[in-house]
Amino acid sequence: MSKITTIFGGDDYDLGKNVQIDELESERQTVLALYVDKSGSMWNYDSVMPGCIETVKDAIIHSKSEDEFLISLTKFDHNVSRSGYKMVKDVDSSYHSSGGTALYDAIVGAQVSLVTDQKDGYIDELKKNGISTKGIFVIITDGNDEHSNLSASDARRAIEYLNQKEIITAYIGFGANACGIGTDLGFRNVLEYDKADEKTLRNIFDIVSKSAISASKNAVNPSAGAFFQV
């Protein structure tokens, strides 16, 4: 199997984990792929991270857009355990750090879960069934890739593909080791913090929730760099 097929195909993605089309309460959906680094260097945030995730859930619920949001919260270390797209209330906010960082694998996994050339990503499935869909991919990480099977070039091509498909791509670098990566990989929206502490982490998730809600309400995707509501 060629690299390009590996990246733009979805053979290993289990659509059975996703909310079924007939369970949706709205014909308009914002699909949020939220990928959160849980490598060992994040151990200081094991106790605060669940509350940060709940911040996003609560914000969407209180925005009265709950029935128009589907979230895949995927936590990655040296492995990427991709979560299916769920209704907001069903998102698992548990968190435990361990291992290394498979950043590139996580990025390509997010792309495959959303849209593929074979039209078997979740957004592809929704659109086939007449659902008006907006896609958002946000990744939060504190460091460089250490354990991916795929390369930076693979991740770069995956982001380019998402950009071409008009999926909002957003990178949040949390700590000095993560800075510069998002721009290099081609994310259209990049937010970086040299300082890594609990206050910053809470602020990050507050921004994610506000940005996703704002994007969901707009008729068109924000221009490059305009996703984050800081």
Side-chain angles (χ1 to χ4, degrees), residues 3-135:
K3 283 283 188 182
I4 200 75
T5 302
T6 300
I7 295 173
F8 298 150
D11 293 341
D12 64 342
Y13 187 68
D14 181 7
L15 286 173
K17 296 179 181 179
N18 297 324
V19 173
Q20 298 301 304
I21 306 297
D22 59 7
E23 295 181 57
L24 301 178
E25 297 181 5
S26 173
E27 294 183 353
R28 180 176 179 270
Q29 294 292 325
T30 296
V31 178
L32 172 60
L34 178 57
Y35 277 56
V36 178
D37 188 339
K38 71 176 190 75
S39 59
S41 58
M42 295 285 287
W43 69 271
N44 280 334
Y45 314 108
D46 279 7
S47 61
V48 70
M49 187 66 80
C52 291
I53 295 168
E54 287 295 325
T55 294
V56 177
K57 294 172 61 176
D58 289 345
I60 293 172
I61 291 169
H62 292 145
S63 74
K64 299 182 180 179
S65 298
E66 182 180 5
D67 63 347
E68 296 182 354
F69 257 94
L70 296 166
I71 302 178
S72 173
L73 175 61
T74 295
K75 304 146 194 171
F76 65 96
D77 46 26
H78 53 280
N79 293 310
V80 183
S81 300
R82 284 182 284 170
S83 167
Y85 289 92
K86 305 176 185 298
M87 295 179 181
V88 178
K89 63 182 177 59
D90 296 326
V91 172
D92 178 13
S93 61
S94 64
Y95 182 87
H96 177 70
S97 59
S98 65
T101 309
L103 179 64
Y104 305 145
D105 288 354
I107 290 170
V108 173
Q111 177 258 297
V112 169
S113 79
L114 288 165
V115 286
T116 75
D117 275 349
Q118 287 76 28
K119 305 295 184 185
D120 58 2
Y122 193 49
I123 284 180
D124 297 318
E125 294 293 324
L126 291 174
K127 288 184 175 180
K128 286 177 193 175
N129 285 273
I131 306 296
S132 176
T133 308
K134 176 171 290 186

Side-chain angles (χ1 to χ4, degrees), residues 113-181:
S113 79
L114 288 165
V115 286
T116 75
D117 275 349
Q118 287 76 28
K119 305 295 184 185
D120 58 2
Y122 193 49
I123 284 180
D124 297 318
E125 294 293 324
L126 291 174
K127 288 184 175 180
K128 286 177 193 175
N129 285 273
I131 306 296
S132 176
T133 308
K134 176 171 290 186
I136 304 172
F137 169 42
V138 179
I139 193 163
I140 301 170
T141 182
D142 78 333
N144 296 311
D145 188 283
E146 300 170 326
H147 288 279
S148 286
N149 293 313
L150 298 169
S151 68
S153 295
D154 295 325
R156 199 173 290 115
R157 285 198 297 271
I159 293 301
E160 182 180 8
Y161 187 78
L162 289 173
N163 290 337
Q164 290 172 352
K165 296 295 183 180
E166 298 186 340
I167 308 299
I168 296 169
T169 56
Y171 173 94
I172 302 178
F174 180 61
N177 289 336
C179 292
I181 297 173

